């Protein structure tokens, strides 16, 4: 028997048209526009820049992308200083963006199913990847890096957001080499702060290249450590986690059948599917600077489920603990579905789980940390890789079930106590960024910055919350409509 979705959803606390209204093209590039607070006051102590990345171009020549993850990367920067804010946004001038701007239509296929006009015949055997630079943006030395996990980063000017071009990071990368969109920032487990990241080359076997770069001072961007590790099987690795001694990967139990992609029927990411009966694996790679340097990686069975993002990881005696957002299954979008008409009730929700990996016995125990649908969690950046008491994340308005993300939650990981700020019914949140108050010793002292899609205004707001109790400090009504985005980061003013 099929249960009608409406029978499961009591009264949705949102209008799907409000949520879907964020899917649009961004038609302007603003160049340092002052933005005042519509409500509240911008904290004077907040000094630095919030960078966000996400798809800003979703349609060309009347054709929509099949999935918003196929949209071209657009960087938004909000610079704060002395209680004032300035807004700038700019598309990353990738080769694909320039070619398609000129052509006025899609010239490339998208990994998430967007096809060139002309059907399978036009798309078959075209396996070129369009590096769309749309997933994350981080500062490394004097470069701003727009990241997309299947290829090299694009370097941008951190002030003007002008695209400098593809960066091989001073010869560290080979042309076309995969470079993760999820670097982790080691706050100084072994002295100087580092950016730890990876690239993965997959197939019947998968090779992870683990790289560590100096991330502060005049040496920022210098490669400090570099190693490669090969594992059996196909790997879909979007994110990872670090501790002082380990880089922690979770290989989801998915298989990849490239044939429909090669034949022009599906996007590459649509060829992923859960592998029934297979077990995911934790791959723990010793960090070169840690206590297990030179040892072989550890491979340990992982619990069932699918993970895009980890919250954090740390060590406790012989245990490595990793907290991640688990889905019951791989939440794919098939070739015949319209992403704007998604039925949230038919998709699995993300739930925060804590996995304790006992390295001595190889066993794993799992604890669910919350029943509320969540994504995009982070801890205080000073606690990255260490035990953290608090986490901030985007959550659904309802306590259970799958819905769009409409609220921000602060979770006390030791007591389960939670505080929630909500943008419902007409607001839809993106990834919250926790910014520690300079010089503060309390883990939850600081601010949470979040770009919110305001369905009533059909534009984006920037909301500033107090990180400790989530009370609203300021709302900036931006003169910009930013489609639902992916990741971003905070760079403190020099
Ligand atoms: Co991500």
């Amino acid at each position: 028997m099929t249960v009608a979705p409406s029978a499961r959803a009591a009264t949705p606390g949102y209008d799907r048209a409000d949520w879907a209204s964020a899917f649009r093209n961004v038609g302007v590039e603003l160049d340092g526009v002052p933005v005042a607070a519509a409500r509240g006051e911008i904290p004077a102590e907040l000094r630095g820049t919030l960078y966000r990345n996400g798809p800003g171009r979703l349609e060309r020549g009347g054709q929509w992308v099949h999935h918003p993850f196929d949209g071209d990367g657009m960087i938004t920067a909000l610079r704060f200083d002395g209680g004032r804010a300035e807004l700038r946004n700019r598309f990353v001038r990738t080769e694909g963006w320039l070619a398609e701007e000129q052509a006025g239509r899609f010239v490339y296929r998208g990994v998430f199913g967007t096809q060139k006009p002309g059907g399978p015949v036009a798309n078959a055997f075209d396996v070129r990847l369009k590096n769309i630079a749309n997933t994350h943006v981080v500062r490394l030395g004097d470069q701003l890096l727009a990241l997309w996990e299947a290829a090299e980063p694009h370097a941008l000017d951190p002030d003007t957001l002008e695209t400098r071009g593809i960066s091989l990071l001073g010869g560290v990368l080979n042309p076309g080499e995969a470079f993760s969109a999820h670097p982790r920032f080691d706050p100084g487990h072994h002295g100087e702060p580092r950016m730890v990241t990876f690239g993965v080359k997959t197939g019947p076997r998968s090779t992870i290249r683990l790289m560590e770069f100096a991330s502060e001072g005049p040496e920022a961007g210098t490669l400090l450590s570099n190693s490669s590790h090969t594992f059996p099987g196909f790997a879909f690795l979007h994110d990872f986690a670090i501790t002082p001694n380990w880089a922690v990967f979770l290989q989801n139990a998915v298989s990849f059948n490239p044939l429909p992609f090669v034949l022009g029927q599906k996007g590459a990411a649509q060829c992923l599917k859960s592998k029934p009966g297979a077990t995911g694996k934790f791959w723990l790679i010793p960090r070169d600077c840690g206590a297990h340097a030179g040892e072989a990686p550890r491979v340990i069975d992982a619990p069932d489920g699918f993970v895009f993002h980890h919250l954090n990881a740390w060590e406790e005696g012989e245990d490595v603990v990793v907290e991640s957002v688990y889905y019951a299954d791989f939440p794919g979008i098939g070739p015949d579905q319209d992403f704007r008409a998604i039925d949230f009730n038919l998709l699995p929700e993300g739930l925060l789980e804590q996995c304790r990996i006992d390295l001595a016995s190889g066993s794993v125990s799992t604890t669910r940390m919350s029943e509320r649908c969540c994504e995009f969690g982070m801890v205080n950046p000073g606690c990255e890789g260490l035990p953290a008491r608090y986490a901030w994340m985007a959550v659904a308005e309802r306590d259970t079930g799958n819905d769009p993300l409409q609220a921000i939650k602060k979770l006390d990981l030791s007591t389960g106590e939670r505080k929630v700020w909500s943008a419902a019914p007409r607001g839809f949140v993106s990834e919250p960024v926790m910014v520690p108050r300079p010089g503060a010793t309390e883990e939850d002292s600081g601010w949470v910055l979040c770009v919110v899609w305001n369905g009533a205004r059909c534009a984006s707001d920037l909301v500033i919350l107090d990180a400790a109790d989530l009370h609203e400090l300021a709302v900036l009504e931006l003169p910009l409509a930013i489609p639902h985005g992916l990741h971003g980061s905070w760079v403190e003013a020099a």
Side-chain angles (χ1 to χ4, degrees), residues 135 182 238 309 487:
T135 312
H182 271 283
H238 175 65
H309 294 127
H487 301 290

Side-chain angles (χ1 to χ4, degrees), residues 69 135-136 149 181-182 238-239 308-309 375-376 431 486-487:
F69 290 176
T135 312
H136 200 349
E149 68 195 21
H182 271 283
H238 175 65
D239 192 9
F308 288 107
H309 294 127
E375 250 300 352
F376 299 132
E431 171 194 63
L486 291 162
H487 301 290

Side-chain angles (χ1 to χ4, degrees), residues 7 14 36-37 82 96 143 159 163 169 174 211 229 232 255 277 316 398 411 439 461 468 479 485:
Y14 65 95
Q143 312 264 51
D159 296 320
T163 304
L169 302 175
N174 294 310
M211 292 162 270
H229 310 270
S255 63
E316 218 175 273
R398 268 197 298 172
L411 180 62
D461 297 340

Side-chain angles (χ1 to χ4, degrees), residues 384-451:
E384 181 90 45
L386 304 171
R389 174 150 185 193
Y390 302 110
W392 292 265
M393 61 200 77
V395 296
E397 173 70 6
R398 268 197 298 172
D399 277 329
T400 57
N402 191 43
D403 275 337
L405 303 167
Q406 293 194 276
I408 302 298
K409 182 168 83 169
K410 176 199 183 195
L411 180 62
D412 183 328
L413 296 161
S414 59
T415 66
E417 191 200 343
R418 69 203 63 185
K419 292 187 164 49
V420 173
W421 174 90
S422 176
R426 304 203 71 183
F428 299 85
V429 303
S430 62
E431 171 194 63
V433 174
M434 192 274 171
V435 178
R437 187 186 306 274
T441 50
E442 293 293 316
E443 193 185 312
D444 60 352
S445 178
W447 306 277
V448 171
L449 308 184
C450 185
V451 172

Side-chain angles (χ1 to χ4, degrees), residues 41-396:
E41 275 180 34
I42 300 170
E45 284 174 279
L46 187 63
R47 292 183 65 242
T49 306
L50 174 72
Y51 293 105
R52 303 283 319 157
N53 197 353
R57 180 89 209 200
L58 299 169
E59 169 275 332
R60 280 191 192 278
Q63 185 191 349
W64 282 78
V65 292
H66 183 72
H67 190 289
F69 290 176
D70 279 342
D72 296 284
M74 184 196 75
I75 309 296
T76 305
L78 270 152
R79 181 173 305 163
F80 297 92
D81 190 14
R84 290 187 303 277
E86 195 182 87
L87 172 68
R88 184 173 266 108
N89 74 300
R90 218 170 151 83
F91 280 92
V92 185
R93 266 52 173 182
T94 64
E95 197 183 305
W97 189 88
L98 292 167
E100 293 184 348
E101 277 291 291
Q102 196 168 20
R105 61 179 170 82
F106 292 119
V107 176
Y108 289 81
R109 302 172 66 191
V111 167
F112 287 88
T114 305
Q115 305 283 36
K116 298 182 290 184
V121 173
N123 289 279
F125 306 109
D126 181 356
V127 294
R128 293 174 306 158
L129 289 178
K130 176 185 171 193
N131 181 343
I132 48 178
N134 72 355
T135 312
H136 200 349
V137 55
V138 297
R139 176 88 182 249
L140 185 65
D142 67 351
Q143 312 264 51
L144 195 64
L145 300 177
L147 303 173
W148 185 67
E149 68 195 21
E152 321 92 320
H154 281 79
L156 316 179
D157 183 302
D159 296 320
T160 64
L161 304 182
E162 268 168 60
T163 304
R164 292 172 177 161
I166 279 179
S167 173
L168 300 179
L169 302 175
V172 170
L173 300 179
N174 294 310
E177 186 172 338
F179 190 73
S180 160
H182 271 283
R184 292 278 173 178
F185 287 85
D186 167 345
H189 302 147
H190 303 280
E192 293 305 295
R194 293 170 171 221
M195 183 178 97
V196 186
T197 192
F198 67 99
V200 58
K201 200 172 168 206
T202 194
R205 297 188 309 158
S206 299
T207 299
I208 295 174
R209 182 181 181 194
L210 191 63
M211 292 162 270
E212 306 205 5
F213 297 86
S215 61
E216 281 182 20
E219 299 300 307
T222 305
L223 186 69
L224 301 176
S225 160
N226 178 37
S227 60
S228 288
H229 310 270
T230 300
F231 300 87
F234 173 81
F236 173 80
L237 300 171
H238 175 65
D239 192 9
F240 79 132
I242 55 166
T243 70
N245 295 306
W246 300 100
V248 182
F249 293 85
L250 174 52
Q251 183 208 11
N252 292 298
V254 290
S255 63
F256 179 70
N257 171 13
L259 206 58
F261 173 63
V262 173
L263 295 178
Q265 295 156 346
K266 286 184 178 183
Q270 293 172 310
C271 300
L272 285 172
K273 66 172 197 282
S274 295
K275 214 167 153 183
T279 306
K281 304 279 183 195
F282 284 113
W283 291 343
L284 278 74
I285 300 177
R287 290 179 62 190
D288 277 350
C289 48
H292 304 287
E295 292 177 17
R298 304 287 303 268
V299 179
I300 290 163
D301 285 355
D304 288 345
F306 188 89
V307 170
F308 288 107
H309 294 127
H310 304 289
L311 170 65
N312 191 26
W314 73 93
E315 296 167 35
E316 218 175 273
E318 281 288 288
D319 294 349
V320 171
V321 186
V322 53
E323 287 163 339
S324 317
V325 178
Y326 273 83
Y327 295 84
D329 199 359
F330 176 66
I333 292 187
D336 301 324
Q337 286 170 283
D338 178 349
F339 66 88
R340 291 165 293 176
I342 284 173
D343 185 341
F344 282 87
N345 285 300
L346 300 180
L347 291 174
E349 70 269 39
L351 295 169
L352 185 64
E353 308 264 9
Q354 184 185 80
C355 289
R356 182 173 288 269
I357 306 167
D358 179 340
L359 288 184
S361 68
S363 65
V364 176
S365 59
T366 303
T367 310
R368 182 162 298 169
M369 305 299 285
S370 167
E371 294 296 331
R372 195 188 281 210
C373 169
C374 70
E375 250 300 352
F376 299 132
M378 78 176 286
V379 298
N380 181 311
C383 298
E384 181 90 45
L386 304 171
R389 174 150 185 193
Y390 302 110
W392 292 265
M393 61 200 77
V395 296

